Amino acid sequence: MLRFSRSKIIATVAIIVIGLLLAVPSMMNREQRQAFLNAVPSWVPSWLVPSRAIVLGLDLQGGSHVLLEVDAQDLLRGQVTILRDDVRRILRDTRVSSQNGIQTVQRGVQIRVPDAADRDRLLPRLRELSQPIGNAVIGQSGNNTIAINTSPDGVITLTYTDAGINERVRRAVDQSIEVVRRRIDFGGTTEPSIQRQGADRILVQVPGLQDPQQLKALLGETGNLEFRLLAQPGATDVDLLPMEDAGGQRVPVERRVIAEGGDLTDAQPAFDSQTRQPIVNFRFNIRGAQRFGQATTENLGRQLAIVLDNRVISAPTIQSPITGGSGQISGSFTVEQVNNLAVLLRSGALPAKLTIVEERTVGPGLGRDSIEAGKMATYVAAIFVVIFMFATYGVFGLIANIALLVHVGLIFGLMSVLEATLTLPGIAGIVLTIGTAVDSNVLIYERIREEVHAGRSIVSGIQAGFDRAFATIVDSNSTMAIAAVILFFLGSGPVRGFAVVFILGILTTVITAVTLTRMMIALWYQWMRPKALPF
Amino acid sequence: MRLIRLWPENSHFDFMRLRRYSFPLSALISVATAIVLMTVGLNFGIDFKGGTLMEIQAKSGQANVAQIRQTAESFGFGDVEVQEFGGTGEVSLRFPIQSGGEAAQTAVVQKARDTFGNDYDFRRVETVGPRVSGELVQSGTIGIVLSVIAVLFYLWFRFERELAVASIIGTLHDIVLTIGFFVITRHEFNMTSIAAILTIVGYSLNETVVVFDRTRELMRRYKAMPAEELLNLSINTTMSRTIMTATTTALSLLALVLFGGQAIQGFAQVMLYGVVICTYSAICISSPMLIYIGLRGSETVKVPEGRAAAAE
């Protein structure tokens, strides 16, 4: 035991030195890190230079965590509307008429075609609406998006299947992530992270954001823009929509859509040159420009209704034909509203409403205080334990303390390499492992003491102490690891940060408490040739 | 230099005798916990109950709690809990979960920011909707159950059946007593509390495993030694290590309680209590359990009537 091969010593020391070096970038702030990386001579290969750093969790650097959920009900409503329009189109194309129009049922629509010949013409076309679910990777799953049922008396029902709805939700989440990404473009250094979570959720994390109000305003709107006409008195086929300017009073708007958000190529906030009012300038693509030009030419003097998410945000009077493909939206807007509106229009519409199901925001001040308190607690805990170990085990205590410091350093090193997130509970985890890491050393030392007192020589006592304590150390750390791994898979955010620290702490304990301690004790023995144990 | 010894060497303390006090005591606390849990319940934080928590700090350093309370009550979002903490004008507000689904929660935050934003900094805002809180309850419960099952498997592989059963009883005992701490002190119970409980599960086993490792070793060495004596010997020989580790862990946790700041204090307090409970249960609950379960499979140690009395 007290004979270490040279290669083993070199390997252990190398592992520890590399581990501690990896922690270096995490100990600096952004500027220092940049300076450090610049100071490294250029002939050193880049993979040799530790550059990765621990990421501070939102609870430590301040920022906003918002969990959004795709509103499946809203999505289904939209899908059923599309289905209705498709069925209407097919009925028109095949010149078949349904006896009592198109009825909306739970999850779908229903028509009634008593004539069998009509049905035979109609059904193949309807079946085209139902797409098989699957993709190039997994192949066909054998499910279709829409189920079509025909009863003997000629009632045809088209409903979305469960698999169809799930598929739509999945696709809606993908689209929403793209739209959200375009909407949250704050510029600057903060990198928002946007990721899918579970089947129907999106997690948005924006570091350094103090007040997520604007973020929520941007994410709370579907952003569905339509240009329609205000209906004339007595018109049928109208929707009654609330009008923003008139304090939410409902006005009749024609159902026919002239152009929509998807036809826009650009939208920018600006100021009207005459009234100095904040406005949004927009440009249409060719299709939109044509339709808009035609509609404004035909309806001079009438009021255009600019509808956003089923609210009339402004209703300007058409003064002259607008054929150039560009226009402006004006109304009683604030600068901020105009900015948001431009972002909404540029980013496109969300496929469905997003609801905020969870929000956690920490101000930067609290984050700073937490880091300071965490540092303080870590130092104090380390000092407590270091003094206590030294007072109990003398030289062996010093050895345990060196192992302990290396242990904490290695946790940081590993976290840097993994670019793991350090959270406030993570700091608590580090402090806790300071207390538990010495457990392995204590197990070994107490065992050595027992063996020597039972009559062994110092060398064989040390040898036996290490050998016998090892099984116990593995056992006790495994039980801790089990709890930590479960915590990792269950927890999210801060709690997961605690689990990460805990798992890494257990891994490094075995290296530092067993191998490193053993080596230091071997060296001490060779130098001192002691006649008795120092404790 | 004189070194500290927290525990005398070659001690021969009769730990098994303590079971006459520890069993009834633990049973009493467990029953009390069950009763309070059924009647009053845990003081759930917003993670599990849903609702909104805000921590605000007066820019002037002086918070007017009475005024905040009055204003917050007038919002009409239900009963608001307003508490001052920290001493530098920090106030926490808790709003109950709003009926009307996820979107209704957002209105609370908006209203509070608009009202208090001028005089106060918003240091923390957390809103949890009904669906998410339900899921958190589920994952928290699953976590504790899973950890117990996983640990059971581990012990089953590592130890003889009797030792595994005794360890699990000890661990369950520690979970119950930790929950007892929460119900009796009205400590807030949230996701961090689940983390604390899982950590305590780990620590609890750690303590029991160290004693039982020694028990197993002694069983092989002294084949004829009666269970009670054997267990006493296991605890006495590992006691100095148990005390040492409990002390270093407690010292670190104490540093967290004193300096770790408000957000972490709760966790550290629970863990500190946990360390004491785990040490106690390894010695006074799990080990004596073995006397009743029987150490060597078939052989259950009969405790003759009156022998305990004679020992006094």
PDB file of all heavy atoms in Angstrom, chain B residues 125-144:
ATOM      1  N   VAL B 125     -40.165  37.174  -8.210  1.00  0.00           N
ATOM      2  CA  VAL B 125     -41.571  36.974  -8.529  1.00  0.00           C
ATOM      3  C   VAL B 125     -41.719  35.533  -8.998  1.00  0.00           C
ATOM      4  O   VAL B 125     -41.023  35.099  -9.909  1.00  0.00           O
ATOM      5  CB  VAL B 125     -42.037  37.908  -9.662  1.00  0.00           C
ATOM      6  CG1 VAL B 125     -43.471  37.573 -10.072  1.00  0.00           C
ATOM      7  CG2 VAL B 125     -41.951  39.356  -9.233  1.00  0.00           C
ATOM      8  N   GLU B 126     -42.588  34.782  -8.345  1.00  0.00           N
ATOM      9  CA  GLU B 126     -42.818  33.413  -8.796  1.00  0.00           C
ATOM     10  C   GLU B 126     -44.306  33.178  -8.898  1.00  0.00           C
ATOM     11  O   GLU B 126     -45.034  33.421  -7.949  1.00  0.00           O
ATOM     12  CB  GLU B 126     -42.202  32.408  -7.817  1.00  0.00           C
ATOM     13  CG  GLU B 126     -40.700  32.566  -7.697  1.00  0.00           C
ATOM     14  CD  GLU B 126     -40.031  31.354  -7.075  1.00  0.00           C
ATOM     15  OE1 GLU B 126     -40.747  30.491  -6.542  1.00  0.00           O
ATOM     16  OE2 GLU B 126     -38.798  31.281  -7.141  1.00  0.00           O
ATOM     17  N   THR B 127     -44.730  32.727 -10.063  1.00  0.00           N
ATOM     18  CA  THR B 127     -46.132  32.401 -10.256  1.00  0.00           C
ATOM     19  C   THR B 127     -46.233  30.968 -10.718  1.00  0.00           C
ATOM     20  O   THR B 127     -45.557  30.581 -11.667  1.00  0.00           O
ATOM     21  CB  THR B 127     -46.749  33.279 -11.355  1.00  0.00           C
ATOM     22  OG1 THR B 127     -46.505  34.620 -11.023  1.00  0.00           O
ATOM     23  CG2 THR B 127     -48.230  33.066 -11.447  1.00  0.00           C
ATOM     24  N   VAL B 128     -47.031  30.190 -10.043  1.00  0.00           N
ATOM     25  CA  VAL B 128     -47.220  28.804 -10.454  1.00  0.00           C
ATOM     26  C   VAL B 128     -48.708  28.570 -10.660  1.00  0.00           C
ATOM     27  O   VAL B 128     -49.511  28.810  -9.761  1.00  0.00           O
ATOM     28  CB  VAL B 128     -46.673  27.828  -9.397  1.00  0.00           C
ATOM     29  CG1 VAL B 128     -46.886  26.393  -9.844  1.00  0.00           C
ATOM     30  CG2 VAL B 128     -45.196  28.088  -9.160  1.00  0.00           C
ATOM     31  N   GLY B 129     -49.062  28.138 -11.849  1.00  0.00           N
ATOM     32  CA  GLY B 129     -50.464  27.892 -12.167  1.00  0.00           C
ATOM     33  C   GLY B 129     -50.919  26.557 -11.615  1.00  0.00           C
ATOM     34  O   GLY B 129     -50.121  25.754 -11.150  1.00  0.00           O
ATOM     35  N   PRO B 130     -52.230  26.312 -11.651  1.00  0.00           N
ATOM     36  CA  PRO B 130     -52.783  25.094 -11.056  1.00  0.00           C
ATOM     37  C   PRO B 130     -52.228  23.811 -11.686  1.00  0.00           C
ATOM     38  O   PRO B 130     -51.972  22.848 -10.983  1.00  0.00           O
ATOM     39  CB  PRO B 130     -54.288  25.214 -11.302  1.00  0.00           C
ATOM     40  CG  PRO B 130     -54.454  26.297 -12.299  1.00  0.00           C
ATOM     41  CD  PRO B 130     -53.267  27.183 -12.182  1.00  0.00           C
ATOM     42  N   ARG B 131     -52.026  23.826 -13.015  1.00  0.00           N
ATOM     43  CA  ARG B 131     -51.578  22.592 -13.658  1.00  0.00           C
ATOM     44  C   ARG B 131     -50.160  22.241 -13.248  1.00  0.00           C
ATOM     45  O   ARG B 131     -49.865  21.099 -12.890  1.00  0.00           O
ATOM     46  CB  ARG B 131     -51.660  22.730 -15.169  1.00  0.00           C
ATOM     47  CG  ARG B 131     -52.726  21.834 -15.761  1.00  0.00           C
ATOM     48  CD  ARG B 131     -52.514  21.657 -17.234  1.00  0.00           C
ATOM     49  NE  ARG B 131     -52.357  22.938 -17.898  1.00  0.00           N
ATOM     50  CZ  ARG B 131     -53.351  23.610 -18.476  1.00  0.00           C
ATOM     51  NH1 ARG B 131     -54.551  23.111 -18.457  1.00  0.00           N
ATOM     52  NH2 ARG B 131     -53.139  24.757 -19.062  1.00  0.00           N
ATOM     53  N   VAL B 132     -49.284  23.249 -13.285  1.00  0.00           N
ATOM     54  CA  VAL B 132     -47.886  22.988 -12.947  1.00  0.00           C
ATOM     55  C   VAL B 132     -47.762  22.540 -11.498  1.00  0.00           C
ATOM     56  O   VAL B 132     -47.019  21.608 -11.187  1.00  0.00           O
ATOM     57  CB  VAL B 132     -47.023  24.238 -13.209  1.00  0.00           C
ATOM     58  CG1 VAL B 132     -45.624  24.034 -12.686  1.00  0.00           C
ATOM     59  CG2 VAL B 132     -46.991  24.541 -14.688  1.00  0.00           C
ATOM     60  N   SER B 133     -48.525  23.171 -10.597  1.00  0.00           N
ATOM     61  CA  SER B 133     -48.396  22.791  -9.190  1.00  0.00           C
ATOM     62  C   SER B 133     -48.845  21.357  -8.996  1.00  0.00           C
ATOM     63  O   SER B 133     -48.236  20.607  -8.233  1.00  0.00           O
ATOM     64  CB  SER B 133     -49.192  23.747  -8.299  1.00  0.00           C
ATOM     65  OG  SER B 133     -50.558  23.674  -8.604  1.00  0.00           O
ATOM     66  N   GLY B 134     -49.884  20.957  -9.715  1.00  0.00           N
ATOM     67  CA  GLY B 134     -50.325  19.562  -9.642  1.00  0.00           C
ATOM     68  C   GLY B 134     -49.225  18.610 -10.076  1.00  0.00           C
ATOM     69  O   GLY B 134     -48.978  17.589  -9.432  1.00  0.00           O
ATOM     70  N   GLU B 135     -48.535  18.985 -11.159  1.00  0.00           N
ATOM     71  CA  GLU B 135     -47.459  18.131 -11.658  1.00  0.00           C
ATOM     72  C   GLU B 135     -46.299  18.065 -10.671  1.00  0.00           C
ATOM     73  O   GLU B 135     -45.674  17.028 -10.497  1.00  0.00           O
ATOM     74  CB  GLU B 135     -46.940  18.655 -12.997  1.00  0.00           C
ATOM     75  CG  GLU B 135     -47.915  18.389 -14.128  1.00  0.00           C
ATOM     76  CD  GLU B 135     -47.667  19.299 -15.312  1.00  0.00           C
ATOM     77  OE1 GLU B 135     -46.558  19.837 -15.420  1.00  0.00           O
ATOM     78  OE2 GLU B 135     -48.594  19.474 -16.114  1.00  0.00           O
ATOM     79  N   LEU B 136     -46.021  19.200 -10.028  1.00  0.00           N
ATOM     80  CA  LEU B 136     -44.919  19.219  -9.064  1.00  0.00           C
ATOM     81  C   LEU B 136     -45.225  18.326  -7.874  1.00  0.00           C
ATOM     82  O   LEU B 136     -44.350  17.619  -7.372  1.00  0.00           O
ATOM     83  CB  LEU B 136     -44.626  20.652  -8.609  1.00  0.00           C
ATOM     84  CG  LEU B 136     -43.964  21.557  -9.644  1.00  0.00           C
ATOM     85  CD1 LEU B 136     -43.850  22.977  -9.119  1.00  0.00           C
ATOM     86  CD2 LEU B 136     -42.587  21.043 -10.029  1.00  0.00           C
ATOM     87  N   VAL B 137     -46.488  18.351  -7.427  1.00  0.00           N
ATOM     88  CA  VAL B 137     -46.889  17.474  -6.315  1.00  0.00           C
ATOM     89  C   VAL B 137     -46.620  16.031  -6.718  1.00  0.00           C
ATOM     90  O   VAL B 137     -46.019  15.239  -5.980  1.00  0.00           O
ATOM     91  CB  VAL B 137     -48.387  17.635  -5.980  1.00  0.00           C
ATOM     92  CG1 VAL B 137     -48.854  16.539  -5.033  1.00  0.00           C
ATOM     93  CG2 VAL B 137     -48.644  18.994  -5.357  1.00  0.00           C
ATOM     94  N   GLN B 138     -47.034  15.719  -7.967  1.00  0.00           N
ATOM     95  CA  GLN B 138     -46.874  14.363  -8.455  1.00  0.00           C
ATOM     96  C   GLN B 138     -45.404  13.958  -8.497  1.00  0.00           C
ATOM     97  O   GLN B 138     -45.025  12.908  -7.983  1.00  0.00           O
ATOM     98  CB  GLN B 138     -47.478  14.300  -9.851  1.00  0.00           C
ATOM     99  CG  GLN B 138     -47.883  12.919 -10.266  1.00  0.00           C
ATOM    100  CD  GLN B 138     -48.416  12.934 -11.695  1.00  0.00           C
ATOM    101  OE1 GLN B 138     -48.505  13.982 -12.329  1.00  0.00           O
ATOM    102  NE2 GLN B 138     -48.761  11.784 -12.203  1.00  0.00           N
ATOM    103  N   SER B 139     -44.577  14.823  -9.082  1.00  0.00           N
ATOM    104  CA  SER B 139     -43.181  14.412  -9.233  1.00  0.00           C
ATOM    105  C   SER B 139     -42.472  14.363  -7.881  1.00  0.00           C
ATOM    106  O   SER B 139     -41.600  13.528  -7.667  1.00  0.00           O
ATOM    107  CB  SER B 139     -42.437  15.312 -10.215  1.00  0.00           C
ATOM    108  OG  SER B 139     -42.373  16.614  -9.728  1.00  0.00           O
ATOM    109  N   GLY B 140     -42.887  15.222  -6.963  1.00  0.00           N
ATOM    110  CA  GLY B 140     -42.305  15.177  -5.622  1.00  0.00           C
ATOM    111  C   GLY B 140     -42.619  13.873  -4.921  1.00  0.00           C
ATOM    112  O   GLY B 140     -41.746  13.216  -4.341  1.00  0.00           O
ATOM    113  N   THR B 141     -43.888  13.477  -5.001  1.00  0.00           N
ATOM    114  CA  THR B 141     -44.310  12.233  -4.359  1.00  0.00           C
ATOM    115  C   THR B 141     -43.604  11.040  -4.999  1.00  0.00           C
ATOM    116  O   THR B 141     -43.059  10.181  -4.307  1.00  0.00           O
ATOM    117  CB  THR B 141     -45.834  12.050  -4.497  1.00  0.00           C
ATOM    118  OG1 THR B 141     -46.446  13.303  -4.226  1.00  0.00           O
ATOM    119  CG2 THR B 141     -46.360  11.013  -3.545  1.00  0.00           C
ATOM    120  N   ILE B 142     -43.612  11.032  -6.334  1.00  0.00           N
ATOM    121  CA  ILE B 142     -42.944   9.940  -7.049  1.00  0.00           C
ATOM    122  C   ILE B 142     -41.480   9.868  -6.630  1.00  0.00           C
ATOM    123  O   ILE B 142     -40.939   8.790  -6.410  1.00  0.00           O
ATOM    124  CB  ILE B 142     -43.040  10.149  -8.579  1.00  0.00           C
ATOM    125  CG1 ILE B 142     -44.479   9.938  -9.033  1.00  0.00           C
ATOM    126  CG2 ILE B 142     -42.123   9.178  -9.311  1.00  0.00           C
ATOM    127  CD1 ILE B 142     -44.708  10.293 -10.489  1.00  0.00           C
ATOM    128  N   GLY B 143     -40.864  11.027  -6.486  1.00  0.00           N
ATOM    129  CA  GLY B 143     -39.446  11.070  -6.126  1.00  0.00           C
ATOM    130  C   GLY B 143     -39.165  10.375  -4.819  1.00  0.00           C
ATOM    131  O   GLY B 143     -38.248   9.556  -4.716  1.00  0.00           O
ATOM    132  N   ILE B 144     -39.984  10.677  -3.818  1.00  0.00           N
ATOM    133  CA  ILE B 144     -39.742  10.079  -2.507  1.00  0.00           C
ATOM    134  C   ILE B 144     -39.997   8.576  -2.560  1.00  0.00           C
ATOM    135  O   ILE B 144     -39.190   7.780  -2.071  1.00  0.00           O
ATOM    136  CB  ILE B 144     -40.606  10.773  -1.440  1.00  0.00           C
ATOM    137  CG1 ILE B 144     -40.112  12.216  -1.272  1.00  0.00           C
ATOM    138  CG2 ILE B 144     -40.531  10.043  -0.120  1.00  0.00           C
ATOM    139  CD1 ILE B 144     -40.899  13.042  -0.324  1.00  0.00           C
TER     140      ILE B 144
END
